[in-house]
Amino acid sequence: MEDKFIPYKRKEIKPQEQLIKSEEYFNWLDQRRTVRDFSDEPVDIKVIENIIKAASTAPSGAHKQPWTFCVVANPEMKKKIREAAEKEEYENYHGRMSERWLKDLETFATDWHKPFLETAPYLIIVCKRAYEMVKGEKVNNYYVNESVGLATGMLLTAIHNAGLIALTHTPSPMNFLTKLLNRPENERPFLLIPVGYPSKDAQVPDIRRKPLEEVMIVY
């Protein structure tokens, strides 16, 4: 079978406009913050659908698109997720985490209590698909972590673009999500992301991103 290709078309941007657009994009994206103080203000589900469609444009190994985005809005399910997550987080903060790890977290004033898991109007659980079942046989996906990581980054950007906030939450282990959401054997939870609006009194840590000279090397 011959591979089918189609012409690649894009809008041409002049060098000077590239400079302006790239700087504007950085300044806009630099306003994105991880926020833990959520409002319960509702968000149109179609906004969430568009955000997930945007995330799904991410590149993936052999174009396998090895991701599933589970959207939880049901209050009872959110409560169950919070209870299970807090159980794991309590264990983390009381024995699993090293002293260095706990020290590093002091800046963010976090603990095992996770009320945002019930307050936020939506929880998006990003799942990675290790393989697919095709006619009863396992078919491997490729570069699964890398692919899902790229899609998650685009998800966070799309959330910011929609004027919403997000938190990348990683209760560990996350096997409880597989059971609560009744996901198939080929899926594993990758990230738990509350999405919504910030509360009126929301605050974020006074921290800075690394300067360019610490993150870029030109050869």
Side-chain angles (χ1 to χ4, degrees):
M1 181 184 295
E2 294 184 3
D3 291 333
K4 294 183 178 180
F5 288 81
I6 59 175
Y8 171 63
K9 298 179 180 180
R10 67 180 180 87
K11 178 183 176 182
E12 185 177 347
I13 301 176
K14 302 297 183 182
Q16 185 58 35
E17 187 181 359
Q18 288 177 346
L19 184 61
I20 294 171
K21 288 176 70 68
S22 62
E23 184 174 6
E24 288 177 344
Y25 185 74
F26 160 68
N27 288 331
W28 167 77
L29 198 54
D30 194 38
Q31 298 172 37
R32 189 204 62 78
R33 293 297 303 267
T34 294
V35 183
R36 290 176 169 80
D37 301 322
F38 282 81
S39 164
D40 61 0
E41 182 179 352
V43 175
D44 190 334
I45 186 61
K46 292 191 177 299
V47 174
I48 303 300
E49 291 174 355
N50 287 333
I51 286 169
I52 290 175
K53 285 192 293 184
S56 294
T57 67
S60 60
H63 197 54
K64 292 292 186 177
Q65 305 165 79
W67 47 67
T68 303
F69 299 93
C70 300
V71 180
V72 178
N74 181 277
E76 292 183 8
M77 179 60 75
K78 288 195 294 182
K79 182 178 181 180
K80 290 179 180 178
I81 290 174
R82 177 185 177 180
E83 290 173 348
E86 287 186 335
K87 181 179 179 181
E88 296 295 348
E89 291 288 56
Y90 182 88
E91 297 295 329
N92 288 337
Y93 278 87
H94 294 82
R96 288 178 182 163
M97 291 178 175
S98 66
E99 289 299 319
R100 172 60 65 87
W101 193 346
L102 292 171
K103 184 69 176 177
D104 287 340
L105 288 175
E106 288 180 0
T107 300
F108 307 98
T110 61
D111 60 24
W112 62 274
H113 297 93
K114 308 298 176 184
F116 49 76
L117 294 176
E118 285 192 86
T119 308
Y122 295 103
L123 305 179
I124 299 178
I125 295 88
V126 183
C127 295
K128 59 182 183 181
R129 303 172 67 92
Y131 58 89
E132 306 296 337
M133 292 300 298
V134 180
K135 296 181 179 180
E137 294 186 5
K138 286 185 178 181
V139 178
N140 287 337
N141 290 324
Y142 312 105
Y143 300 105
V144 173
N145 286 334
E146 294 86 348
S147 299
V148 177
L150 289 165
T152 301
M154 295 181 71
L155 178 78
L156 294 173
T157 304
I159 291 169
H160 181 60
N161 182 61
L164 302 173
I165 62 166
L167 167 66
T168 49
H169 183 44
T170 54
S172 181
M174 290 195 284
N175 296 336
F176 67 88
L177 289 169
T178 302
K179 296 177 181 179
L180 285 175
L181 300 175
N182 194 29
R183 301 311 304 158
E185 285 293 321
N186 65 322
E187 284 188 7
R188 300 290 185 274
F190 186 77
L191 274 175
L192 170 55
I193 305 177
V195 179
Y197 293 102
S199 65
K200 292 183 179 179
D201 57 351
Q203 293 187 327
V204 293
D206 185 13
I207 54 178
R208 299 290 183 270
R209 293 183 169 91
K210 291 181 178 180
L212 183 61
E213 57 268 22
E214 290 189 26
V215 299
M216 177 179 176
I217 300 174
V218 179
Y219 292 90

